Amino acid sequence: MESCDFTELMGERALAYRFLSRAYRTAPDAAFVAALRAAGEARPADDALAPFFAELADRDAADDEALRIDLAADYNRLFLGMGPHPVPPYESVYTSPEGLLMQDARDEVLAAYRAQGLDAPDDFGLPEDHLALECAFVGELAERAARASEQGDEAAAAELAAFQRAFVNDHLGAWVPAFCDDVEGRARTSFYRGLAALTRQQVEADREVLAAL
């Protein structure tokens, strides 16, 4: 792959994972809803979030606060346990035999973060194998790889790509598809159903893209 193509690929992947990280980290605020409205104008028709953006286009911007409240309620019900059928966004729950928090997956992803000089933000306060942090981690490594490629450090870029490949295969790929199936089956809003489909597509496509590098 040409250096410019590699840089562009890593930049696109960084943006995708940054978006997923934000979407899963907290319930939507007004700024996030406004960003969704702006982004919807440029999304392709076959986007996994197309049903949500179609609904958004039919709503007046004056209704965005009501939309935010609806999305926040769905987020809280799904991911914070404020409902009868939550979907915990933690790798340990999906990969440990007992389905519990703070199992081996948490220790493994924390070790991966620290191997790259990173750690969970001080204000996060949740187990480190949360999907938002795993996505942020891959996004950060993709940004680093893009910068290394731009600077002509192909060895560093290749090393960062290899680290991402291992992390996506061993971690995101190991649990995200099942997690997304659960979100799609339990979400009440088209946004979170679409987000789950988009997340699954991103991880599955990423495994193929990174394997081909």
Side-chain angles (χ1 to χ4, degrees):
M1 178 179 287
E2 295 292 333
S3 176
C4 60
D5 294 334
F6 178 90
T7 301
E8 182 179 1
L9 170 65
M10 290 294 156
E12 291 173 351
R13 292 179 58 254
L15 287 173
Y17 278 107
R18 294 292 191 194
F19 170 74
L20 294 178
S21 177
R22 168 59 190 91
Y24 286 111
R25 180 165 179 171
T26 61
D29 56 15
F32 187 71
V33 173
L36 288 175
R37 183 173 286 281
E41 299 172 1
R43 304 290 287 202
D46 60 349
D47 191 289
L49 283 167
F52 167 74
F53 285 123
E55 292 178 13
L56 189 60
D58 289 338
R59 297 179 67 144
D60 191 278
D63 293 334
D64 280 1
E65 176 59 14
L67 173 63
R68 184 199 66 76
I69 292 171
D70 289 344
L71 294 181
D74 208 18
Y75 180 95
N76 294 340
R77 191 180 59 81
L78 287 167
F79 307 130
L80 297 185
M82 298 182 185
H85 302 292
V87 187
Y90 301 98
E91 183 177 342
S92 289
V93 173
Y94 280 85
T95 59
S96 65
E98 303 83 3
L100 300 175
L101 292 170
M102 304 292 284
Q103 302 302 300
D104 290 347
R106 177 264 181 186
D107 298 337
E108 291 167 3
V109 299
L110 184 56
Y113 301 161
R114 291 175 175 170
Q116 294 294 326
L118 298 169
D119 212 330
D122 292 338
D123 63 349
F124 192 67
L126 295 170
E128 292 86 350
D129 57 344
H130 192 289
L131 181 54
L133 289 192
E134 293 195 9
C135 288
F137 179 61
V138 177
E140 172 64 22
L141 296 190
E143 283 189 3
R144 292 183 183 184
R147 287 197 301 270
S149 181
E150 284 180 330
Q151 295 165 2
D153 192 345
E154 298 306 323
E159 182 178 342
L160 286 161
F163 202 100
Q164 291 174 74
R165 182 186 308 119
F167 190 86
V168 170
N169 284 335
D170 296 344
H171 294 286
L172 289 173
W175 71 285
V176 164
F179 166 83
C180 292
D181 288 346
D182 288 342
V183 174
E184 280 193 287
R186 301 176 192 177
R188 293 177 179 172
T189 60
S190 60
F191 175 73
Y192 285 107
R193 287 192 295 272
L195 180 67
L198 182 67
T199 306
R200 185 193 302 104
Q201 290 172 6
Q202 177 65 35
V203 171
E204 291 177 349
D206 216 28
R207 297 180 75 174
E208 295 182 9
V209 166
L210 292 170
L213 289 179

